[in-house]
């Protein structure tokens, strides 16, 4: 869990440093809404990160991604790297228990082919209305969040995507708490 905490802390520092990079090296734009849409997700008891989970979780939420004012064209302009802020709010449930969760994640977005496909990665934080679901305890209401995703835009303003999202306390509340890995499917409107 200490290694996961260090990894999440490193991702937060790296993402923050890149989003605050010298504006003279980038092309600044106004912060605007990039996309908004519903997401559904589930977990498995065997996570990609961390310890064996005790419960199977389901997520139902809405996510909105905002463009931050820094972006860099790559290559011959076919690809670009931009900064974003992903926010979400929704319902997390497991073992007959349900609670509200909200996340804020600064991320880096690599998009190509005129926005047809994009990849993103980021790390941030989340707040949870409950920290115990059945036999699984998160440790407390504040959690670190890390995510990676892929999005395709088959229509001008429609998108579909798949995302891995991990949250945990990274040892903040002690060694007995467990985090969760979620596999998330998303669709929505791209501005």
């Amino acid at each position: 869990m200490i290694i996961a905490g260090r990894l999440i802390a490193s991702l937060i520092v790296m993402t923050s440093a890149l989003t605050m990079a010298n504006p003279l090296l980038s092309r600044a734009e106004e912060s605007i809404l990039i996309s908004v849409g519903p997401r559904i997700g589930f977990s498995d008891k065997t996570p990609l990160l961390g310890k064996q989970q005790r419960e199977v979780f389901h997520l139902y939420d809405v996510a909105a991604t905002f463009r931050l004012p820094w972006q860099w064209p790559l290559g011959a302009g076919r690809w670009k790297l931009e900064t974003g802020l992903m926010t979400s709010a929704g319902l997390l449930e497991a073992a007959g228990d349900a609670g509200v969760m909200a996340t804020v994640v600064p991320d880096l977005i690599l998009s190509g082919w005129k926005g047809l496909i994009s990849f993103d990665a980021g790390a941030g934080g989340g707040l949870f209305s409950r920290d115990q679901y059945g036999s699984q305890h998160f440790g407390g209401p504040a959690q670190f969040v890390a995510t990676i995703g892929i999005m395709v835009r088959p229509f001008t303003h429609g998108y579909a995507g798949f995302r891995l999202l991990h949250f945990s306390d990274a040892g903040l509340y002690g060694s007995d708490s467990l985090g969760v890995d979620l596999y998330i499917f998303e669709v929505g409107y791209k501005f």
Side-chain angles (χ1 to χ4, degrees):
M1 211 53 160
I2 292 173
I3 293 172
R6 288 183 182 159
L7 174 65
I8 291 170
S10 297
L11 283 171
I12 291 170
V13 169
M14 181 180 69
T15 303
S16 298
L18 288 171
T19 58
M20 293 180 201
N22 185 346
L24 297 175
L25 300 176
S26 64
R27 193 178 81 204
E29 286 188 6
E30 276 186 49
S31 295
I32 60 170
L33 187 60
I34 295 174
S35 62
V36 64
R39 309 186 307 181
I40 60 170
F42 64 93
S43 72
D44 189 17
K45 287 194 174 185
T46 305
L48 295 173
L49 297 172
K51 303 175 196 170
Q52 184 81 14
Q53 295 175 188
R54 295 186 185 123
E55 304 294 346
V56 173
F57 289 82
H58 292 90
L59 169 76
Y60 310 94
D61 74 358
V62 174
T65 302
F66 298 88
R67 179 175 289 116
L68 294 176
W70 301 281
Q71 66 175 309
W72 302 268
L74 301 174
R78 292 189 177 131
W79 290 86
K80 71 177 174 179
L81 182 65
E82 59 187 319
T83 56
L85 184 69
M86 185 183 313
T87 61
S88 70
L91 183 71
L92 183 67
E93 61 181 21
D97 296 324
V100 177
M101 69 178 270
T103 65
V104 176
V105 178
D107 69 344
L108 294 173
I109 305 162
L110 176 65
S111 59
W113 296 300
K114 297 184 180 178
L116 180 63
I117 188 167
S118 63
F119 305 92
D120 69 86
L127 289 174
F128 295 75
S129 65
R130 65 180 307 133
D131 58 3
Q132 176 107 22
Y133 289 82
S135 63
Q136 189 160 339
H137 191 271
F138 299 158
Q143 301 286 309
F144 293 102
V145 177
T147 185
I148 59 171
I150 182 171
M151 182 187 305
V152 294
R153 194 186 74 193
F155 309 107
T156 302
H157 292 290
Y159 73 86
F162 177 74
R163 173 168 310 286
L164 297 173
L165 185 137
H166 171 81
F167 66 83
S168 72
D169 69 349
L172 182 67
Y173 300 109
S175 61
D176 294 337
S177 58
L178 290 175
V180 174
D181 288 346
L182 291 164
Y183 307 97
I184 298 174
F185 297 95
E186 52 192 349
V187 295
Y189 187 83
K190 185 145 175 110
F191 294 90

